[in-house]
Every structure is written in C-alpha cells, then in structure tokens.
Amino acid sequence: MKEERNNALPSSKDSGVKRRRYSSTFRSKLLQEQEGKCFYCKKGLSYIHAIVEHKIPICRGGKQAKDNLCVSCSTCDKLKGGQTDKEFMNPKTRRR
C-alpha cells in the first residue's frame, strides 16, 4: 500500500486544470531565452527534453502568462511539483 504524504501540495490534476499544449515555436523561443538550459538546475536541454512549466503553479494562483512560464528538465519538473519557483529554489523550503 502506498504511503500518503501529509505535506503534499496540490497539483494541476487536483485542481481540474486542463494541461495546455504550447506551440513548438513558443517552446523554442523560451528555450532560446534561457540559453538552452533548465530554469532551475541550469543543465543543458535539448528541444525534445524541454518541458514548459509554470513558475507559480496554476493550482497555487499562477497565471497562464509568459512571465510565469519557463522550460525545465523532467527531473526538476517532477521534483518541483506544486511548489513555487521561490520555494523550490530555497534550500530551507525545498521539498525532496
């Protein structure tokens, strides 16, 4: 049986928000603006591995605006979960 997390943050699945698909042009532009690196860990990303994600998740009040979007690697995207970018980048508040 899986153990439930007591401190689990909401996810877009919980909020009923539909995942939005971004155009290849938009994803390429974001990746180029970030110099081909993950917003969080700064590792190099290929276009295929770049995930467009929200710095402040929709489930936490974030908006569908360009300044709230970035590209990340799948590892950082999964680790970040429902945290804001500030929470994820702060070692004191970062969930692992």
Side-chain angles (χ1 to χ4, degrees), residues 12-62:
S12 60
K13 291 177 190 171
D14 299 334
S15 65
V17 174
K18 230 176 142 179
R19 280 204 169 257
R20 181 172 180 185
R21 294 194 55 104
Y22 297 95
S23 72
S24 57
T25 305
F26 183 77
R27 185 167 33 152
S28 292
K29 189 173 180 179
L30 275 180
L31 187 60
Q32 186 176 25
E33 287 173 5
Q34 290 178 208
E35 299 176 358
K37 297 178 182 174
C38 172
F39 182 79
Y40 303 107
C41 69
K42 307 302 182 207
K43 288 184 184 170
L45 283 175
S46 66
Y47 171 82
I48 287 188
H49 294 104
I51 298 170
V52 178
E53 74 114 30
H54 296 88
K55 296 174 188 175
I56 301 172
I58 299 295
C59 63
R60 301 278 303 275

Side-chain angles (χ1 to χ4, degrees), residues 75-92:
T75 301
C76 287
D77 181 51
K78 288 175 186 155
L79 286 173
K80 181 178 168 281
Q83 298 177 91
T84 66
D85 58 334
K86 305 274 189 271
E87 292 168 340
F88 184 66
M89 298 299 283
N90 183 341
K92 292 181 181 178

